[in-house]
């Protein structure tokens, strides 16, 4: 059974600082997603990482994937208050043509002014 | 373009009652998924429809849960009878293709069973 471990669970950081959220998973996968969720809102897709060494950046967020280490990171650069949200990684697995996501526990990020 | 819509957004029921959740996927999306997040746990897969057919229902917890997608459009997830451990947030998602890069989620239904 695929296990996805995400850490930290909670992260409180000051504006302007850098930090990284980690996502480890236990079996090989086709793709890895990062989602953001604001309270009461839908899961918003941030990044889809498809291959080893993939790196994607959007604003102050950068995601990377190391399939050999089965590790993805979400790096936050010079955090601002608007980035406060819960972030999830999710690993996609395929079985007989079906695909489903296995999620990490989420990281609740709070940016302190 | 309208996103994935779910209703109700919140539902509070008593143990033993029945609740039906509804999901309207993005128009034209054949694939529809149900996930749920029980308090303090990960978001977990429940099932996957392709049009009106159940492609994978391996995540359905027990036979108190019944999902339907008549006509391949909207889907319903009925819980009957509801138990305390069913409380959580139920998410619906849709995509045009299996394995496509874009999977769109709704904002979820918060179910509280008292």
């Amino acid at each position: 059974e695929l296990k996805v471990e995400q850490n930290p669970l909670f992260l409180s950081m000051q504006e302007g600082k850098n930090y990284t959220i980690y996502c480890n998973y236990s079996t090989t996968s086709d793709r890895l997603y990062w989602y953001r969720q604001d309270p009461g809102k839908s899961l918003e897709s941030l990044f889809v990482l498809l291959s080893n060494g993939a790196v994607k950046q959007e604003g102050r967020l950068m995601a990377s994937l190391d399939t050999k280490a089965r590790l993805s990171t979400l790096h936050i650069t010079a955090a601002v208050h608007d980035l406060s949200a819960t972030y999830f990684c999710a690993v996609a697995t395929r079985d007989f043509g079906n695909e489903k996501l296995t999620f990490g526990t989420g990281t609740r990020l709070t940016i302190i002014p | 373009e309208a996103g994935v819509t779910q209703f109700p957004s919140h539902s509070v029921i008593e143990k033993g009652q029945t609740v039906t959740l509804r999901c309207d996927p993005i128009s034209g999306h054949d694939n529809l998924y149900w996930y749920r997040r029980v308090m303090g746990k990960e978001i977990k897969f429940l099932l996957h429809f392709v049009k009106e057919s159940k492609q994978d229902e391996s995540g359905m917890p027990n036979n108190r849960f019944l999902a339907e997608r008549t006509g391949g459009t909207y889907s319903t997830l009925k819980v009957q009878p509801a138990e305390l451990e069913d409380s959580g947030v139920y998410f619906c998602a849709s995509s045009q293709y299996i394995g496509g890069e874009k999977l769109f989620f709704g904002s979820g239904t918060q179910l509280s069973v008292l």
Side-chain angles (χ1 to χ4, degrees):
Chain A
E1 181 184 336
L2 173 61
K3 300 284 186 189
V4 180
E5 292 184 358
Q6 189 176 338
N7 65 83
L9 296 182
F10 300 94
L11 178 56
S12 181
M13 53 192 293
Q14 287 186 317
E15 280 190 327
K17 299 290 187 183
N18 304 332
Y19 209 82
T20 301
I21 299 171
Y22 298 88
C23 177
N24 288 88
Y25 55 98
S26 59
T27 64
T28 56
S29 169
D30 289 338
R31 65 181 56 78
L32 187 141
Y33 296 82
W34 283 97
Y35 286 93
R36 167 184 172 145
Q37 187 188 26
D38 293 291
K41 305 287 187 181
S42 61
L43 293 161
E44 175 193 352
S45 179
L46 295 174
F47 302 108
V48 180
L49 303 169
L50 301 177
S51 60
N52 188 42
V55 177
K56 290 193 175 180
Q57 183 164 4
E58 181 74 34
R60 300 174 187 275
L61 300 178
M62 183 174 71
S64 65
L65 178 63
D66 181 343
T67 57
K68 292 180 182 177
R70 296 175 185 163
L71 170 68
S72 180
T73 61
L74 180 66
H75 187 73
I76 302 147
T77 301
V80 293
H81 181 69
D82 287 352
L83 292 179
S84 296
T86 300
Y87 293 84
F88 295 93
C89 66
V91 177
T93 52
R94 282 210 176 187
D95 183 19
F96 300 103
N98 304 316
E99 182 176 276
K100 58 188 173 188
L101 300 184
T102 301
F103 283 82
T105 50
T107 297
R108 184 179 293 180
L109 174 64
T110 303
I111 309 297
I112 302 167
Chain B
E1 176 183 280
V4 177
T5 55
Q6 292 185 246
F7 44 95
S9 57
H10 294 82
S11 181
V12 181
I13 61 172
E14 293 187 350
K15 176 183 171 180
Q17 290 186 322
T18 297
V19 63
T20 301
L21 315 180
R22 174 168 168 150
C23 169
D24 285 70
I26 293 173
S27 177
H29 282 192
D30 287 342
N31 296 281
L32 187 150
Y33 303 81
W34 284 97
Y35 286 81
R36 75 170 179 177
R37 188 180 194 194
V38 173
M39 182 70 73
K41 304 279 189 179
E42 300 88 347
I43 300 170
K44 285 194 179 290
F45 169 84
L46 294 178
L47 88 159
H48 170 206
F49 283 100
V50 177
K51 297 184 180 178
E52 67 276 9
S53 299
K54 292 177 185 174
Q55 194 76 2
D56 181 358
E57 52 184 334
S58 60
M60 294 287 265
N62 52 61
N63 59 10
R64 296 186 292 103
F65 289 76
L66 176 64
E68 295 181 320
R69 192 182 182 194
T70 307
T73 54
Y74 71 90
S75 174
T76 58
L77 179 64
K78 183 163 72 173
V79 186
Q80 179 183 29
E83 298 289 345
L84 300 178
E85 64 264 25
D86 300 332
S87 296
V89 182
Y90 290 76
F91 292 100
C92 175
S94 73
S95 68
Q96 193 168 6
Y97 307 109
I98 293 176
E101 287 194 23
K102 285 289 188 179
L103 183 62
F104 298 87
F105 279 82
S107 54
T109 294
Q110 173 78 57
L111 174 64
S112 299
V113 183
L114 306 179

